[in-house]
Amino acid sequence: MADRPGDHWDRKVANGLAFLRRRLAGDYEVDEFGFDSELTDAVFHPLLRVLYRDWFRTEVSGVEHVPVDGPALVVGNHSGTVALDALILSAALHDKHPAHRYLRLLGADLVFRMPVVSELARKTGGTVACNPDAERLLGGGDLVGVFPEGFKGIGKLYADRYKLQRFGRGGFVSAALRTGTPIVPVAIVGGEEIYPMLADIKPLARLLKLPYFPVTPTFPLLGPLGMVPLPSKWLIEFCPPIPTAHLTDSADDPLVVFNLADQVRETIQQTLHTLLERRPDPFGP
C-alpha cells in the first residue's frame, strides 16, 4: 500500500525522537578514539551533504580506487584558509563509496587544543596526526585521511593556489610502510576559492597564537558574514592506489620514504592540473 501523505513525516519525527532518547539515555557507542558513527550519520554528514552537493556542486571520480574493505591511507592536497576540504572529502567519500566507508581524518595538534572543535573532531572520527594513532587505525582496517601540507597548505596565499607545499618529513609514508597499507592519492579542486587569502597579518596571528590570520575579500571586512564560503565548483578525484606491502622492511629508510612521498605529491599535483583544465570557470555550474 502507498504511504499516506503524512506517513513520511510521521516516520521522520518518530526516528528523530528515538534518536534523542538514545542520546539522552547514553545508549550509543563510541570507539577508543571517540568516534560516534550514529551522530556522524544523523547530524554531521547531512549538514556537509548540503555543502558538497548543493553549494559546491561537487563531482567525485575514481572512487573505485578506494578499497571496499581493509585499510588504506588517503592522501590529499590541503587548501582553503579554513580546512573544509577535509570534511567535504570525508562526507563525499562516505556517500559515493559502495561500502559507505568512513574516513578517519588525522588533524594537527591545534585542532585538538580547541575546546569545541576538539570534541567535534573526535566525534566525527578524527585523531591527532601522529604515527602511533595512524598505525593503530590502519592496523584495525580503517580508511585514514591525511593532508601532509598541513597549515602550509590551507594558509597559503591565493596567488599560490593549487601549488602543493612541502610534504614535511613523510611521516604518513612511514605509517603506511609499517602496516603495508596502500596509499590512495586524492586531488581536490575548489577549496582554494572558498576563502581566497589575499594577505596574512602575521603580528595578529602571533598575538592570537594562530598559524596565520587571513585577509580575504569578505573577511574581516564583513565580520561574521565573511565566514560564508564562496560557492566554488569542486572536483574530487581519487587516483590509483600505490602499493606498499613489498616495502614494509623499508619504513625507516629515509630514501625510500622520501621517494614514495615525492611520488604521491607528484601524482596529486599532476591530477590537479588535469582537473583545473576540466574546470575553466571556478564558479561555473
Side-chain angles (χ1 to χ4, degrees):
M1 294 179 61
D3 287 348
R4 292 175 298 176
D7 285 351
H8 173 70
W9 288 105
D10 287 346
R11 283 197 300 271
K12 289 181 75 71
V13 170
N15 290 337
L17 291 174
F19 172 76
L20 288 175
R21 280 196 297 270
R22 287 195 302 274
R23 304 308 297 186
L24 292 173
D27 186 18
Y28 58 90
E29 295 182 357
V30 297
D31 71 6
E32 60 180 313
F33 294 93
F35 176 45
D36 188 333
S37 60
E38 182 184 52
L39 191 64
T40 298
D41 288 339
V43 178
F44 298 120
H45 278 176
L47 293 174
L48 291 169
R49 201 167 287 132
V50 173
L51 273 180
Y52 93 75
R53 283 183 179 175
D54 303 323
W55 191 248
F56 296 138
R57 308 170 304 288
T58 306
E59 295 179 15
V60 180
S61 58
V63 73
E64 68 275 7
H65 295 309
V66 180
V68 173
D69 53 33
L73 187 65
V74 178
V75 182
N77 59 298
H78 221 8
S79 64
T81 305
V82 175
L84 275 182
D85 52 4
L87 301 178
I88 295 297
L89 177 66
S90 64
L93 174 58
H94 179 268
D95 284 357
K96 299 295 184 181
H97 195 278
H100 300 294
R101 300 196 66 182
Y102 296 104
L103 184 65
R104 308 298 297 270
L105 296 170
L106 302 181
D109 291 348
L110 176 63
V111 172
F112 297 94
R113 291 201 302 266
M114 301 168 70
V116 176
V117 174
S118 173
E119 183 68 15
L120 293 177
R122 291 287 185 188
K123 290 291 187 183
T124 55
T127 189
V128 180
C130 63
N131 275 20
D133 279 10
E135 290 171 24
R136 282 165 62 200
L137 285 168
L138 293 171
D142 286 299
L143 283 182
V144 176
V146 63
F147 297 85
E149 294 172 280
F151 288 120
K152 298 189 300 293
I154 58 175
K156 64 179 178 291
L157 297 178
Y158 187 64
D160 296 322
R161 61 194 179 277
Y162 300 115
K163 297 176 184 177
L164 288 185
Q165 305 300 296
R166 189 170 60 85
F167 266 21
R169 299 178 181 177
F172 70 97
V173 171
S174 298
L177 292 176
R178 287 193 177 91
T179 55
T181 299
I183 298 173
V184 181
V186 59
I188 305 169
V189 161
E192 299 280 18
E193 292 86 16
I194 59 174
Y195 303 110
M197 187 164 155
L198 306 178
D200 174 14
I201 306 178
K202 295 185 184 299
L204 192 51
R206 286 194 294 270
L207 179 65
L208 297 174
K209 297 182 179 179
L210 297 173
Y212 53 87
F213 188 91
V215 176
T216 76
T218 58
F219 182 84
L221 180 64
L222 299 183
L225 283 177
M227 294 304 295
V228 177
L230 298 178
S232 58
K233 169 71 176 179
W234 284 46
L235 302 176
I236 298 176
E237 181 166 335
F238 295 93
C239 305
I242 300 171
T244 68
H246 62 295
L247 296 171
T248 52
D249 293 334
S250 304
D252 296 317
D253 186 331
L255 185 59
V256 172
V257 170
F258 174 81
N259 287 339
L260 192 51
D262 194 54
Q263 181 184 352
V264 174
R265 186 179 182 278
E266 186 62 24
T267 299
I268 296 172
Q269 185 67 78
Q270 292 304 317
T271 307
L272 287 174
H273 291 324
T274 302
L275 293 179
L276 288 168
E277 290 177 0
R278 280 173 45 193
R279 192 209 63 165
D281 182 0
F283 298 98

